Amino acid sequence: MELNVVIILGLLVAITSCLEKPNIVILFADDLGWGDLGCYGHPTSTSPNLDKMAAEGLKFMNFYSTSPICSPSRASLLTGRYQVRTGMYPGALECGSIGGLPWNETTIAAQLKQAGYGTAIVGKWHLGVGREQQYLPTNYGFDYFLGLPYSHDMCPCYVCFYPQEACYDDCRPESTPCPLYENDKIIQQPADFLKLSETYSSAATGFIHQMAAKKKPFFLYMAFQHTHHPQFSSKMFTNSSIRGTFGDSLNEMDWQVGKIFDAIHGAGIAKNTFVFFTSDNGPSLFRGVRGGSAGPFRCGKGTTYEGGVRMPAIAWWPGRIAPGVTSELTATLDLFPTISNLVNIAVPTDRVIDGIDMSTVLFANTEGGRESLMYYPPNPTPSQGVFAIRYKEYKAHYYTAGTGLYPKYYPDPACNYTKNATHYDPPLLFNLNQDPGELNPLNTSGFPYKEIVDTINQIKIKFEAAVTWAEPEISKGVSNDSKPCAKPGCTPFPQCCTTNDIVPGTTRIIHPGLL
Ligand code: MG
């Protein structure tokens, strides 16, 4: 063969492989804090699969979610937009919520479907169900859904640990039993927590193998129930960790991560698969030893201190992402434009996308992160606006507030519910590189910090002048006819909503801690 023909063939192979669409996997933990993983320094966690992912991939030190609670954070991840633009506020959707993610929002799944991808969500959705089940994931670009539509404490909870150990509390007895959906059908109610992780990992790995066999690029959004309250695990992981029940749950989540990596390697697609791991919000510190850890950061879930929104994050793609660590400022918002650009799909131009393309951070481990980031509380209002702004290594708090998620005896009074929203003018300024625990406000009365505050004030004014707040979907309230029920119209409601003949709760045992 002529040399130039060989060169041309080589170029064609190179071009074809460049054009091959990468598979995209997002692994999304729930209420897992920055300090919970072994690879982020926790002394008693065992998370070998995530630790391996971190060793082989890029670990983020300054990665954020947009909210310290679930629904708004998930909306931002999937749409690349702050929650005040999508209506995913105030608070989180409940069992029976009437509202949901507006249909005109475009998700990463919808983007990738346009590009010919197979798309699946396995796990927790938490962006709505609705009276007509019109807010379930299959309405937003997902071909397949297997999972719970919200947090598993938003229903009565029964058995959490093998063989018959009760969940730590009652969760929500007024709700219908936890519904496990496949697409828009309830296939199990109540969901069996002791088998749920196995069910999820079978669905996820089955989807990966199915797509690989068809040679179809895919998007898998694996949204774990772990490590949200109440902690739970199967026989394999009950009493598996010296960290206690949180450690057992984390072990089970990590096992699911390992199953997904096994499937990716087993299908021979590792070199063409981008995997990103992060969490939706900070740890439930108010659960004590049954909650997570924010590491060096202040407060946790429910607050706009760093513990509420600074997330562990790891990017993995062998051959494309070099092992390393980045301190670039990045956020869940940035996955939407980054993934869209990666597969060459234009981002919508009829709306503001708050994310930035972080490709240079991912693929060259160089600059290219954000200059600033907005922090919104769980219940944002237009009159208060953003609670804090991150700008380079600085953070300015315009408001701080504790949350009812913390008991009054919580040792840091800044986090607990007795601390009402407090306004600061000038804002409280911290240097997060030097003071990650936000304990030492800087003197902003003169040089150099007055200038930093002036700059951040200008960013705030410009940003807020341009924000259009969507109607708050979560304020639409709840109704019984929006509560998922396998036997619509049955009595006694809601206990009768089951896929079996045993009315849950009639034989339940009470956790000794509640007696
Ligand atoms: Mg959460």
Side-chain angles (χ1 to χ4, degrees), residues 199 215 338 422 476:
T199 305
K215 300 198 182 310
T338 303
T422 306
K476 290 179 177 173

Side-chain angles (χ1 to χ4, degrees), residues 30-31 69-70 74 124 228 280-281 301:
D30 196 353
D31 292 10
I69 56 169
C70 298
R74 285 157 199 267
K124 171 175 156 178
H228 195 288
D280 68 337
N281 55 255
K301 181 174 183 174

